[in-house]
Amino acid sequence: MSDLKLTMGNIEFDNPIWVASGTFGYGTEAPELVDVNRLGAIVTKSITRQPREGNPPPRIVETPSGMINSIGLANIGVERYIKEMLPIYESLTTKIIMNIAGTDIQEYIEILEMVESVSSVIAGYEINISCPNVKKGGMEFGVDCDMTAKLTDALRSRTDRLIIMKLSPNVSDIVSIGQASQDAGADAVSAINTVVGMSISAKTGTSDIYTTYGGLSGPAIKPVGLAAVHKLYQKLNIPIIGIGGIVNGQDVAEYMLAGAQAVQVGTANFRNPGISEDILSQLETFISESKWPSANDMVGQVKTHS
Amino acid sequence: MHIEKAVIISNSEVAHQIWEMKFEAPMIAKASKGAGEFINILAMENWQNPLRRPMSIASSDGTTLSIIYKIFGEVTTILSNKRPGDYIEILGPLGNTFSHWQNDHHPILVGGGVGLAPILNLQHECKSAGVDHSIIIGARSANEHFIDHEPDRKIYLTTDDGTAGESGTVMGPLERLVADNTKPYIYACGPEPMLVAIREFSLAQNIPAQLSVESYMGCGVGLCQGCVIPRQNGEIQHHSYHQKYSLVCLDGPVYEAEDIQFV
């Protein structure tokens, strides 16, 4: 079996197959369907300072080869996360990455400091600067280089754990946001978050999502994710975690060839919460049948025509 | 909760555009706890339609399950093209069950359209338990019905256009049956306007009612947080989680009428 281990910051991950924030709950929802300890990491659902109910329904709709969601960061809040979830993670061997969302820099800092002040096995933080579904949400950070740099810097100075900035595709230049994250001390970037989208039912003449616009995910956005990862790989020297439309081992290989060192499986979890285990096996088979000695050897090695 | 490849035993059109499919799914059938539960169906392996389709279990006998579905679009058309011996991949059993009446209650079961599925499952439970009950089935027209109007056996049909059973909605026979029984208990599943009317009626009359609601679902297991329904009086909490909204896949699909509201 090929070696799938990878190192990011000072953390060693068993394999590059992670599950994406918001698509896997807190990691404990479907124990009958998935052995989470086989995953490289679980990125838990975005946590905010206070609990959040989320948006009114309808919150989701299927679209061609994808879906649009506008959940609105429904979550238990950081206090319950610390009290109820952190103790559960002690018994898991998979790595836990906590995803954090805030409305201003102070809120991100407060959440991170609350978690840092207790002992836990958390490997790091993924910073949601790009949720499209919350008014006054993280989007302003995700589209602005200076704000991204300030936020990254503020969090960097407060933790030795991994800091991963999650980038939005809904920007004019994703590379400059990635660069700002790197320069301010981020250990890695993950790309992409969902693409702003809309779905309309012609028959009824109505929008299918309460908030009108939502986040498009699934295989429909894989080409957008691949392009973002490839562009980031040309300019950045920190690891990139690829996200967007991954449903099988071949998709993972494509993201790795584009420049991703690890990937996150998202929407596919909704169809089958155990799909990441299948994807891991498929990746192992793919590598063993390929010319690549290991997963790491593939990273960024796509042959382009120019 | 299991993911199981189910072998289709039968799949046929029982009324206009309404199909019944029966399949072998021993793991899920064995795990099923009763009427009200649903399964999440994957009609095809490609990713053009990434999400499963939630459907109520219409019958369960320990090794087989059945569903009743209406041809709506691409996915239900694909389902209707399946033949005996073909497979579908199902996830389940999911959700809660109708909770049962006390001994002296008279269950009045109300099904509208394909919402009839869990109601037929409940009717089977009534029959097995030897519980005296009534059933009302509503549809737009006679060609959507596949059960006969037999008031003598307490089976009442309604049609919007009067082509079968009583003319009008299920509310006509429901109001009569409620008036005729000392301790009625309503169980209903169907289109939202029907559930809204039954909910208002049951609250006004102070009659217990359990409603099985439909919701657009992403996963069916609580991961996506997509399938919410507002709780009654749920707005009080300022910063809260699952106080204002309930997740239909985990908390439902069956609710006491007084616990939810329709938007």
Side-chain angles (χ1 to χ4, degrees):
Chain A
M1 205 190 296
S2 61
D3 182 16
L4 292 176
K5 283 191 167 55
L6 65 131
T7 307
M8 223 174 267
N10 52 2
I11 303 287
E12 186 177 76
F13 295 87
D14 280 347
N15 67 66
I17 310 299
W18 304 5
V19 286
S21 178
T23 67
F24 210 70
Y26 301 105
T28 57
E29 279 81 350
E32 306 100 317
L33 301 176
V34 57
D35 176 5
V36 293
N37 287 327
R38 284 196 69 205
L39 308 177
I42 298 171
V43 187
T44 56
K45 185 158 178 56
S46 279
I47 291 289
T48 51
R49 177 65 189 85
Q50 300 292 343
R52 284 178 60 95
E53 286 286 350
N55 294 332
R59 292 180 172 184
I60 45 172
V61 64
E62 190 180 74
T63 57
S65 301
M67 62 175 279
I68 293 176
N69 88 79
S70 181
I71 307 300
L73 298 180
N75 80 95
I76 56 177
V78 66
E79 277 153 46
R80 275 183 68 186
Y81 185 82
I82 289 172
K83 208 168 130 196
E84 296 169 25
M85 301 321 301
L86 292 185
I88 293 173
Y89 299 148
E90 299 283 334
S91 62
L92 302 181
T93 56
T94 190
K95 299 286 185 290
I96 302 290
I97 308 281
M98 178 192 183
N99 184 295
I100 293 177
T103 51
D104 55 39
I105 288 186
Q106 200 48 45
E107 197 176 333
Y108 284 96
I109 290 174
E110 211 175 315
I111 297 165
L112 182 128
E113 284 185 332
M114 286 171 76
V115 179
E116 285 290 299
S117 71
V118 299
S119 151
S120 82
V121 294
I122 283 192
Y125 304 95
E126 182 180 66
I127 311 305
N128 182 357
I129 53 169
S130 48
C131 180
N133 297 328
V134 190
K135 276 180 202 154
K136 240 183 89 188
M139 199 64 143
E140 296 106 52
F141 289 99
V143 300
D144 184 308
C145 287
D146 291 342
M147 290 289 277
T148 301
K150 267 184 206 158
L151 177 63
T152 309
D153 182 63
L155 299 175
R156 174 75 290 160
S157 63
R158 287 170 170 85
T159 182
D160 293 326
R161 291 191 166 102
L162 280 185
I163 298 269
I164 302 165
M165 304 304 281
K166 185 168 184 178
L167 307 181
S168 170
N170 308 308
V171 296
S172 51
D173 181 13
I174 194 169
V175 176
S176 61
I177 310 283
Q179 189 83 53
S181 305
Q182 173 177 294
D183 294 348
D187 295 292
V189 293
S190 50
I192 52 176
N193 205 326
T194 55
V195 179
V196 170
M198 182 174 184
S199 175
I200 295 172
S201 295
K203 257 189 199 167
T204 58
T206 52
S207 150
D208 293 326
I209 292 283
Y210 182 86
T211 52
T212 309
Y213 313 117
L216 176 65
S217 64
I221 69 164
K222 189 178 76 171
V224 183
L226 285 173
V229 167
H230 188 254
K231 284 180 185 176
L232 289 162
Y233 184 77
Q234 310 307 308
K235 288 281 155 61
L236 267 54
N237 46 40
I238 54 175
I240 300 155
I241 301 146
I243 318 170
I246 293 166
V247 303
N248 58 39
Q250 201 161 304
D251 294 333
V252 180
E254 291 171 17
Y255 267 96
M256 293 191 140
L257 289 165
Q261 211 171 320
V263 298
Q264 294 177 15
V265 177
T267 300
N269 292 314
F270 296 154
R271 170 138 141 188
N272 176 0
I275 201 164
S276 296
E277 289 188 73
D278 301 340
I279 293 174
L280 178 60
S281 306
Q282 291 158 5
L283 178 66
E284 283 169 341
T285 306
F286 180 89
I287 293 171
S288 67
E289 290 172 357
S290 76
K291 62 174 183 175
W292 307 104
S294 77
N296 284 318
D297 292 304
M298 296 168 67
V299 176
Q301 298 307 306
V302 63
K303 277 183 271 178
T304 57
H305 298 278
S306 54
Chain B
M1 196 194 301
H2 306 277
I3 288 181
E4 190 167 21
K5 268 205 158 179
V7 191
I8 296 169
I9 300 166
S10 63
N11 189 23
S12 57
E13 189 172 21
V14 291
H16 179 64
Q17 299 270 292
I18 295 172
W19 288 64
E20 183 180 35
M21 183 190 280
K22 196 170 183 185
F23 39 82
E24 265 177 56
M27 281 198 298
I28 293 173
K30 203 177 161 204
S32 173
K33 287 190 284 293
E37 287 179 326
F38 66 98
I39 52 176
N40 224 349
I41 298 177
L42 191 61
M44 54 200 172
E45 305 242 315
N46 70 47
W47 286 83
Q48 276 162 295
N49 297 88
L51 303 179
R52 291 171 188 267
R53 294 293 186 272
M55 292 191 194
S56 285
I57 298 171
S59 74
S60 166
D61 70 358
T63 54
T64 67
L65 296 172
S66 74
I67 54 168
I68 295 168
Y69 60 98
K70 188 175 179 156
I71 307 289
F72 259 120
E74 215 183 328
V75 172
T76 42
T77 302
I78 287 163
L79 272 184
S80 71
N81 290 331
K82 301 270 183 188
R83 298 280 169 265
D86 289 350
Y87 291 90
I88 50 167
E89 194 198 88
I90 59 179
L91 164 63
L94 303 171
N96 64 355
T97 61
F98 289 106
S99 54
H100 280 192
W101 48 87
Q102 277 135 22
N103 287 334
D104 50 348
H105 274 118
H106 180 80
I108 303 171
L109 318 183
V110 191
V114 286
L116 184 57
I119 293 299
L120 289 180
N121 203 358
L122 187 62
Q123 185 196 27
H124 181 73
E125 289 179 2
C126 285
K127 284 178 179 168
S128 304
V131 173
D132 182 41
H133 63 278
S134 303
I135 182 166
I136 308 165
I137 306 166
R140 283 177 303 192
S141 195
N143 64 0
E144 293 176 349
H145 277 302
F146 54 93
I147 288 171
D148 293 331
H149 182 62
E150 295 180 88
D152 294 347
R153 296 178 57 209
K154 298 180 184 172
I155 301 171
Y156 305 87
L157 263 52
T158 67
T159 46
D160 295 349
D161 62 5
T163 48
E166 297 182 24
S167 181
T169 72
V170 296
M171 295 311 290
L174 179 60
E175 284 171 22
R176 246 182 13 246
L177 286 168
V178 162
D180 291 349
N181 284 284
T182 46
K183 290 194 82 178
Y185 201 127
I186 303 170
Y187 296 87
C189 183
E192 192 167 303
M194 181 191 111
L195 294 183
V196 168
I198 291 177
R199 179 178 173 275
E200 280 169 12
F201 173 71
S202 75
L203 294 181
Q205 302 277 318
N206 201 22
I207 299 159
Q210 290 180 21
L211 312 177
S212 174
V213 304
E214 195 178 22
S215 180
Y216 206 108
M217 285 185 190
C219 66
V221 297
L223 291 174
C224 76
Q225 302 276 317
C227 60
V228 288
I229 185 165
R231 294 182 195 272
Q232 177 70 6
N233 304 320
E235 298 93 326
I236 344 152
Q237 304 272 343
H238 186 49
H239 288 301
S240 62
Y241 176 70
H242 287 186
Q243 301 294 312
K244 180 173 178 179
Y245 295 118
S246 168
L247 272 187
V248 174
C249 69
L250 294 185
D251 304 335
V254 180
Y255 293 90
E256 302 284 341
E258 62 202 28
D259 290 343
I260 49 165
Q261 49 183 313
F262 294 98
V263 276

